[in-house]
């Protein structure tokens, strides 16, 4: 049994029930709002939401962001199988999760991601599913970077040809020529600084804009009489 | 032995060495910069640093911020005993840590904080030490809130009368009349939203400004001849 692909609740070991409170809030947002795009993920997207880039670029596309700091693939899977895509009909779901699966193999993580893709497809037959690449991490080269890189290759391979599923490369330009990542780009060598957020997420923004634009209802150009 | 008061390194279980890389960066900043104020803490201060409030209010006071997301008192203690206050002579050290000690008692956490205060005092005999109160957490009332509240009382009591040690209350106004905390104030019921950051940290900013102002070298008003 691959732990990355088994829906798993995060245990409330802190005894303040925060994870479940956040999940419940996402369920309310599903009932109350009508998003065109839903972001689902972990700390990378959670951090994105508190930036000017989110406010200026993504929020105007009618995005909701269902991301929780420490989540791994199995936790996102649990959330989606427990209501976070019910009562909504987004045109696009953007999924970025897996960097926190630090104790699994690339194959297990990729399988976990594909299981989430399958869950999204089961719930939303017509939506586009967009998969940005996992980002590198750590100040120096390390096995987490290697794993994330392998996951990206596996996902690109497995998703090639899937209908309305697109990967988008956002992981270039962060590793410097000496192999290090600067704290000017990732303040904790995992999450993006405000300054680097715009640059890193630009290809994602462009892809979302393009999909939304291409799928706008055609304007009827026939004169009305 | 109280685990909160024993200097402890965070094990690199993720195998990307991020915690130590961040610590090493703080050591470089100590060698290269000449801060008037040093912030030391966990996720609460780490989140603060990526806000407009930091840029507009705190950064101009010549602040450095040595905060790491998941740190507990024992980890901050290790960092300080391993160089993070060497080669600097700040006028003020601001310490906010303890909310992540979720498996300890209030007494243990308070003792951990006091051990850090002692370490700061040993290294910086003349600096002011400012202790903002731990913030409440969790959407609903919970034992973490109760513990943080008790820690605040214990610290206020123990620090009363200590020379150049000041507590500052920043934990009011977050809990609503029905006992809940809004995600508009704390997006994950632990860390502050950009919107609430300014309000919550205003008393701290005022205190820092006051201390810095009062301790400015007196301008020599005697005519030079």
């Amino acid at each position: 049994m691959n732990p990355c692909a088994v829906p798993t609740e995060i245990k409330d070991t802190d005894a303040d029930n925060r994870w479940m409170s956040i999940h419940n809030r996402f369920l309310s947002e599903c009932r109350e709002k009508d998003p065109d795009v839903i972001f689902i993920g972990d700390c990378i997207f959670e951090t994105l939401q508190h930036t000017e880039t989110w406010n200026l670029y993504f929020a105007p596309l009618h995005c909701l962001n269902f991301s929780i700091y420490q989540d791994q693939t199995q936790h996102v899977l649990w959330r989606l199988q427990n209501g976070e895509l019910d009562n909504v009909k987004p045109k696009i779901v953007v999924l970025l999760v897996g960097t926190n699966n630090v104790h699994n193999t690339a194959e297990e993580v990729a399988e976990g991601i594909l299981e989430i893709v399958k869950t999204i497809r089961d719930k939303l037959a017509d939506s586009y599913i967009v998969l940005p690449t996992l980002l590198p991490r750590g100040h120096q080269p390390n096995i987490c970077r290697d794993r994330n890189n392998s996951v990206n290759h596996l996902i690109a391979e497995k998703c090639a040809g899937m209908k309305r599923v697109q990967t988008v490369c956002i992981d270039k330009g962060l590793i410097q020529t000496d192999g290090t990542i600067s704290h000017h780009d990732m303040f904790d060598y995992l999450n993006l600084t405000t300054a680097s957020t715009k640059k890193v997420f630009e290809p994602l923004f462009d892809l979302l804009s393009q999909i939304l634009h291409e799928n706008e209802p055609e304007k009827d150009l026939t004169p009305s009489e």
Side-chain angles (χ1 to χ4, degrees), chain A:
Chain A
M1 204 66 152
N2 171 9
C4 303
V6 178
T8 309
E9 211 173 310
I10 287 200
K11 295 270 171 298
D12 184 34
T13 50
D14 290 1
D16 61 359
N17 208 34
R18 294 192 304 111
W19 191 76
M20 195 56 78
S21 297
I22 298 170
H23 167 67
N24 287 333
R25 173 157 54 83
F26 294 159
L27 298 186
S28 311
E29 293 191 14
C30 280
R31 285 187 296 265
E32 292 160 11
K33 293 178 180 172
D34 188 21
D36 284 332
V37 185
I38 295 184
F39 282 62
I40 296 171
D42 54 33
C43 50
I44 310 288
F45 274 172
E46 195 190 83
T47 302
L48 167 64
Q49 187 159 7
H50 305 107
T51 61
E52 273 301 287
T53 299
W54 179 265
N55 296 336
L56 288 175
Y57 294 88
F58 292 105
L61 302 181
H62 303 278
C63 296
L64 285 184
N65 191 337
F66 296 162
S67 298
I68 306 185
Y69 200 84
Q70 79 281 40
D71 271 19
Q72 301 178 34
T73 53
Q74 61 272 30
H75 309 125
V76 165
L77 198 56
W78 187 94
R79 294 199 273 121
L80 298 193
Q81 296 195 1
N82 286 273
E84 286 189 20
L85 289 180
D86 299 353
N87 310 302
V88 282
K89 212 171 156 34
K91 296 180 179 121
I92 309 174
V93 175
V94 188
L95 174 70
L96 181 55
V97 68
T99 195
N100 291 331
N101 288 78
V102 291
H103 301 299
N104 303 105
T105 66
E107 289 70 23
E108 288 173 328
V109 181
E111 202 187 308
I113 294 170
L114 293 170
E115 193 63 29
I116 302 172
V117 170
K118 191 170 165 294
T119 302
I120 299 171
R121 179 56 73 228
D122 287 349
K123 295 192 172 269
L124 300 164
D126 301 324
S127 301
Y128 279 78
I129 301 172
V130 170
L131 305 169
T133 47
L134 300 191
L135 298 178
R137 56 186 281 170
H139 180 48
Q140 302 280 350
N142 62 80
I143 60 167
C144 294
R145 274 198 210 171
D146 300 340
R147 178 177 38 237
N148 286 0
N149 203 25
S150 302
V151 170
N152 291 339
H153 284 291
L154 287 166
I155 292 294
E157 197 181 293
K158 304 270 187 186
C159 291
M162 277 193 197
K163 215 175 167 188
R164 287 190 299 281
V165 176
Q166 279 190 256
T167 58
V168 52
C169 178
I170 62 166
D171 62 326
K172 301 303 173 223
L174 289 164
I175 299 175
Q176 305 176 112
T177 46
D178 66 352
T180 63
I181 290 176
S182 165
H183 68 278
H184 295 295
D185 284 328
M186 293 184 138
F187 60 86
D188 60 355
Y189 310 108
L190 171 63
N191 290 292
L192 297 165
T193 58
T194 312
S196 69
T197 298
K198 182 168 181 289
K199 179 181 70 181
V200 168
F201 285 113
E202 200 163 18
L204 174 62
F205 174 76
D206 291 344
L207 177 62
L208 299 185
S209 304
Q210 183 198 323
I211 295 174
L212 290 171
H213 182 72
E214 282 174 2
N215 291 277
E216 267 174 11
E218 298 262 345
K219 287 206 179 69
D220 188 355
L221 297 175
T222 323
S224 53
E225 60 205 294

